[in-house]
Amino acid sequence: MTDGTAGDGDGERERISTREAADRLGVKPETLYAYVSRGLLGSRRAAGGRGSTFDPLEVAALAARGRAATAGAPASGDTEGGWGRIRTGITLIDPAADSYAFRGVDAVALAEAYAYEEVAEWLWTGELVPGVHFTAPPAPLAAARAAAGALPAGSGPMDRMRVAVIAAGGADPLRFDLARDAVLGSARGLIPTLVDALPPAGGEAVDSAAPIARRLWSRLTARDADPASLRVLDAALALLIDHDLAASTLAVRVAASARAHPYAAVSAGLGALDGPLHGQASALAHRMLRDVLDQGGAGPVVAAHLRAGQRVPGLGHRLYRGEDPRARLLLARLAEVPAAADALAAARDTVATAARHTPLHANVDLALAVLSVASDMPAEAGEAIFAVGRTAGWVAHALEEYGERALRMRPTGIYVGPAAPRPLPPGGGR
């Protein structure tokens, strides 16, 4: 869940440093990394893990688009001046302060003070609704459970949620109504449907009168839910609601730009979430923590990652120079969970060991890994928590996009293939 973008495979072309890329664009390094997070630029970790490198041709193309927008030239995909310049009033990330805000209110403070459903309502409407409760409508829930239950026994929660959202949409005859109230009604039913469609991890599932965090807990672990652990899970859902234009959120806005209904837009987000650089990042951190616990220390595990030329999972974030604010709150709350002591110590050992090589801080994936390891959840649990929490943010972005010009998400490709026209290739004819 790094909410970032990997390099785009530019072969052996010589790459440039962060400072040089920022200078060519006339921006600060913090702004450069914001471009990366929004999918405007690809980056790669520099040799030795110190800083990032950039493709000079990609930097030049972005600079050219910026100059065209400044000159008032028509820009593809946005009414405000260029692909990637997407107006939003949802989330503001401040890299200099290592903080982010939902509709102007500090997101960490919101997660500390309010439950997930309450923060979701704030993001959607700008109003706090104390004690708001999300309930899955019967017909979409029945369809979602049937579809999720038809998957093979070894299917994980993400596999089940991906088919559940499609089935739930098919059972909602009003899904094509894109009026604001209709979309919000669908969202308030879709989030609990994604959770309640999952089979219970042990015994009976918690009934639909419980908060989302309590119901999700019963689907991810057979362990009894203690209040401190539930506070961590609820805070995680609230913190993960949105993080500006991450890859999955951009996919949602592209779908919404084509006027896909909210179920289809959320499905686009779930599809983009599937990958080691976004949704599955917490699973990699989970497995790493298990290895640290099994080997009795982080040294051999960190060394194995570095020897293989791999980043240590759960460390560093493109948008924050210090500790990810989401990790900061979650790790503090995990310190109040007795069962998390060993996993938390393993995480701190990992951070300290890796810091001898490069100064990186814990990110939200490491915090989710501590929660999932300590709670006997599967490695995929962090991605499931992310998906449930982020669905509220995806809906908020879809609502914004429904209010924009349709089909504006249409970037112009930079063709790099052979020149046309070319002769017809030889071969068999009809």
Side-chain angles (χ1 to χ4, degrees):
M1 264 76 67
T2 55
D3 293 314
T5 304
D8 59 350
D10 50 73
E12 299 301 319
R13 183 161 55 246
E14 185 175 352
R15 298 174 68 81
I16 60 178
S17 68
T18 297
R19 172 54 62 187
E20 188 172 357
D23 288 344
R24 293 187 186 186
L25 288 168
V27 300
K28 296 179 180 180
E30 292 84 357
T31 303
L32 185 72
Y33 285 115
Y35 290 163
V36 172
S37 74
R38 294 170 181 171
L40 300 177
L41 278 177
S43 70
R44 286 185 187 170
R45 180 66 59 181
R50 297 183 180 276
S52 300
T53 63
F54 298 83
D55 179 356
L57 294 184
E58 194 178 359
V59 171
L62 180 59
R65 291 202 296 274
R67 287 192 294 272
T70 301
S76 62
D78 190 272
T79 57
E80 287 293 297
W83 170 253
R85 297 170 181 266
I86 299 173
R87 298 178 301 186
T88 177
I90 298 172
T91 299
L92 174 65
I93 297 176
D94 184 354
D98 290 331
S99 66
Y100 69 118
F102 293 155
R103 296 195 181 278
V105 178
D106 184 79
V108 173
L110 282 167
E112 287 181 304
Y114 300 106
Y116 164 65
E117 294 93 325
E118 294 170 333
V119 179
E121 285 287 343
W122 167 258
L123 201 72
W124 292 336
T125 67
E127 297 180 2
L128 243 302
V129 183
V132 64
H133 178 71
F134 295 163
T135 302
L141 177 58
R145 279 177 169 164
L151 293 181
S155 300
M158 290 305 302
D159 295 322
R160 299 188 189 281
M161 281 198 282
R162 287 189 179 97
V163 301
V165 68
I166 296 171
D172 183 358
L174 301 180
R175 63 188 180 277
F176 296 107
D177 186 349
L178 303 186
R180 182 177 184 82
D181 288 346
V183 172
L184 288 178
S186 296
R188 294 181 184 109
L190 174 58
I191 291 172
T193 294
L194 291 177
V195 174
D196 293 350
L198 299 176
E204 295 184 1
V206 175
D207 66 50
S208 60
I212 292 292
R214 180 66 184 88
R215 288 140 76 181
L216 182 58
W217 177 278
S218 71
R219 268 76 178 184
L220 296 178
T221 178
R223 286 187 51 176
D224 291 337
D226 61 281
S229 294
L230 283 179
R231 282 195 295 271
V232 176
L233 179 54
D234 185 75
L237 290 170
L239 291 167
L240 290 166
I241 282 179
D242 192 55
H243 208 237
D244 198 29
L245 295 174
S248 56
T249 303
L250 183 59
V252 168
R253 293 197 75 129
V254 170
S257 176
R259 297 303 182 256
H261 57 72
Y263 298 91
V266 168
S267 184
L270 288 170
L273 193 62
D274 190 19
L277 300 180
H278 196 11
Q280 293 180 26
S282 62
L284 299 178
H286 175 107
R287 296 185 180 99
M288 179 196 67
L289 281 188
R290 293 268 16 135
D291 288 343
V292 171
L293 290 169
D294 291 343
Q295 297 195 35
V301 178
V302 171
H305 280 86
L306 297 178
R307 187 179 301 117
Q310 300 171 343
R311 294 183 62 182
V312 180
L315 300 184
H317 196 286
R318 286 183 172 91
L319 296 181
Y320 301 118
R321 290 178 292 182
E323 191 172 40
D324 183 334
R326 301 168 296 182
R328 186 166 56 244
L329 175 59
L330 293 180
L331 292 174
R333 289 201 168 182
L334 282 161
E336 302 170 1
V337 179
D342 290 343
L344 191 57
R348 289 171 173 160
D349 187 16
T350 301
V351 173
T353 301
R356 303 171 196 166
H357 172 73
T358 183
L360 294 175
H361 300 271
N363 63 34
V364 71
D365 299 314
L366 188 64
L368 289 174
V370 173
L371 172 62
S372 59
V373 169
S375 306
D376 292 332
M377 294 177 181
E380 202 178 7
E383 186 179 4
I385 295 167
F386 183 98
V388 172
R390 187 59 58 91
T391 296
W394 290 338
V395 170
H397 280 274
L399 278 169
E400 276 197 340
E401 197 57 43
Y402 291 147
E404 297 285 354
R405 175 172 53 84
L407 294 174
R408 71 188 184 120
M409 298 290 186
R410 180 62 169 86
T412 300
I414 302 174
Y415 181 71
V416 296
R422 299 182 69 196
L424 194 67
R430 286 184 285 178

